Amino acid sequence: MKTDDLIKALDADARSKAMPLRSAWWLAAGVAVVVAAVVFMMTIGPRPDFMAAAHTIRFLSKFVFTIVLAISAFALIRALSTPGATTGRAMVAMIIAPLLVAVAVVLELFMVPQALWSTRMIGSNMMICMSFIPLIGIGPLAIFLWMLRYGAPTRPVLAGAVAGLLAGGLAATFYAAHCFDDSPLFVATWYTIAIAALALLGALGGRFFVRW
């Protein structure tokens, strides 16, 4: 079968589902948020000084990073799950979150004495961060991988990796409400490692469970 014919066949299969793919993705995202919220509240929950911390830019900036990542990954995974859909613009948008983190890190390096750089980067919760972001995100990742099977991605490994980034952005958003380390150096290091772990799991899931 020619590639174009395969893409048309996959697209027809995706469109023949009981629920339109776009609506199904929004439903899946809503369920994933609920699952992540339940796991978060049943395990660590928000930090005790959440309301006071919410008045600081450093604390709020964490949510900007994670939410931008989740939104851009959601746009890209929806495109990847639809054969023939253009992904160029969504791919470019994936750069926004890392750029925001990079700018915040540079500003932090200018504002904080060099002697404190390593302290800010290591923080006090790195092991909790690397444990609970994957824990909170594993349920949403499973939901997103199932959604990829509901769709018809022609690049399942890439789509799975993006599913992991989406789950990681969602999980990191919840975890940020608990995290006492507000430094961009900490976020750039440990949040990235934890989210990357979910992206790797997603790529493996795409390789073995989202195949045609």
Side-chain angles (χ1 to χ4, degrees):
M1 180 181 291
K2 295 181 179 179
T3 301
D4 291 342
D5 293 335
L6 175 60
I7 291 175
K8 290 178 181 178
L10 292 175
D11 184 48
D13 180 70
R15 294 176 185 276
S16 67
K17 305 294 185 181
M19 180 184 293
L21 190 57
R22 177 174 297 184
S23 300
W25 267 115
W26 282 108
L27 177 60
V31 173
V33 169
V34 172
V35 170
V38 169
V39 174
F40 173 70
M41 295 305 297
M42 290 183 64
T43 52
I44 50 178
R47 54 195 275 183
D49 64 339
F50 178 87
M51 296 307 297
H55 291 87
T56 65
I57 295 178
R58 288 162 60 84
F59 179 73
L60 293 177
S61 67
K62 297 186 297 184
F63 294 94
V64 174
F65 306 147
T66 59
I67 290 173
V68 168
L69 173 61
I71 291 174
S72 56
F74 183 64
L76 179 55
I77 199 171
R78 287 173 60 196
L80 287 170
S81 66
T82 305
T86 58
T87 59
R89 189 172 297 180
M91 285 280 196
V92 173
M94 291 295 297
I95 303 173
I96 298 175
L99 282 179
L100 290 174
V101 174
V103 170
V105 167
V106 171
L107 292 175
E108 178 93 335
L109 294 178
F110 275 110
M111 296 173 61
V112 175
Q114 186 174 354
L116 296 178
W117 288 359
S118 61
T119 301
R120 293 291 181 90
M121 182 185 72
I122 296 173
S124 60
N125 291 293
M126 64 177 184
M127 294 307 299
I128 296 176
C129 174
M130 290 193 296
S131 299
F132 278 92
I133 288 180
L135 177 64
I136 296 169
I138 194 68
L141 175 57
I143 293 171
F144 299 142
L145 289 174
W146 179 84
M147 270 303 305
L148 288 175
R149 289 183 61 87
Y150 188 84
T154 56
R155 292 175 284 180
V157 174
L158 175 60
V162 176
L165 292 175
L166 174 54
L170 177 60
T173 300
F174 280 100
Y175 176 75
H178 170 85
C179 183
F180 289 91
D181 294 297
D182 299 335
S183 169
L185 289 168
F186 182 91
V187 174
T189 304
W190 308 113
Y191 279 47
T192 298
I193 293 174
I195 293 171
L198 284 168
L200 177 59
L201 284 176
L204 292 173
R207 171 67 178 81
F208 293 107
F209 301 112
V210 186
R211 295 189 300 177
W212 295 93

